[in-house]
Amino acid sequence: MKLLFGCLVLVYCYWLPPQINDLPEIRKLAAGSTIDNNQARKFAAAMVSVSSADAPVMICYKGASVMIQAKYAFNPFVKFEKFKTGKALIEQAFQRDSSNVEIRLIRYSIQSNLPAFLGYHSEIINDRLYIQRHFGECQDAELKKMILSIQSLSGTRANGSKL
């Protein structure tokens, strides 16, 4: 009986999507998902439980995961629907916490990599400047590494000092 119960628990846990509250792990999944469809699926599964009551940065990552799913979709209607859904989540996160450097970094990254015809690129310059201005205030070493890893953000900040 115990063995049967144990097996049922394992099967149940196997089929549940992973629920990750660990920001470093989410960051890794997000980074890997742009180049690997399997990583994108894991990232989407990890973000499925995020709701509008969660932290804005988590909502933003959920929006990014939806947009990344669009990259791997074949049907153009599905691609566009995922784009709209992801954009809405990212903008919702931004409205709740517009001073969060990580949210701005995610939005900047997304907007910088989307085709121009989608029309979601109006905040690239503002986000880049904001990130550069507030880089020194960032206490999270991993986030600083993420910022520095994006080529278009490296260089000088708005005040002329090096990042």
Side-chain angles (χ1 to χ4, degrees):
M1 186 65 168
K2 288 181 184 179
L3 180 63
L4 178 62
F5 181 72
C7 289
L8 288 174
V9 169
L10 283 175
V11 169
Y12 181 73
C13 290
Y14 177 77
W15 289 107
L16 282 177
Q19 296 183 3
I20 300 174
N21 294 321
D22 183 23
L23 199 52
E25 185 62 28
I26 290 169
R27 290 171 176 163
K28 284 181 200 170
L29 285 172
S33 67
T34 60
I35 55 174
D36 180 32
N37 192 9
N38 288 328
Q39 283 290 99
R41 287 185 192 133
K42 287 179 186 175
F43 182 36
M47 297 285 90
V48 79
S49 64
V50 173
S51 72
S52 61
D54 286 315
V57 72
M58 297 301 288
I59 295 168
C60 193
Y61 272 114
K62 182 174 184 167
S65 77
V66 173
M67 280 198 172
I68 290 168
Q69 289 174 31
K71 175 181 178 177
Y72 299 107
F74 179 74
N75 184 321
F77 295 109
V78 171
K79 282 181 176 280
F80 189 65
E81 199 55 44
K82 288 193 180 292
F83 161 75
K84 289 190 319 186
T85 302
K87 177 183 173 185
L89 288 167
I90 291 169
E91 291 305 317
Q92 175 189 354
F94 180 79
Q95 292 299 318
R96 285 189 45 203
D97 191 0
S98 63
S99 63
N100 186 308
V101 173
E102 191 159 4
I103 289 173
R104 286 191 178 248
L105 179 65
I106 295 165
R107 186 171 76 170
Y108 172 83
S109 233
I110 296 267
Q111 289 188 0
S112 297
N113 288 295
L114 284 175
F117 72 84
L118 289 172
Y120 189 48
H121 57 274
S122 61
E123 296 299 324
I124 290 175
I125 294 170
N126 292 334
D127 287 344
R128 181 175 51 82
L129 291 174
Y130 187 89
I131 293 163
Q132 289 174 338
R133 275 189 222 120
H134 293 87
F135 179 81
E137 300 166 15
C138 187
Q139 301 298 314
D140 187 331
E142 187 177 321
L143 180 56
K144 281 186 168 185
K145 284 181 188 176
M146 286 172 51
I147 293 168
L148 291 173
S149 72
I150 297 176
Q151 291 291 334
S152 56
L153 284 173
S154 42
T156 57
R157 292 195 299 233
N159 65 7
S161 61
K162 287 278 189 194
L163 278 179

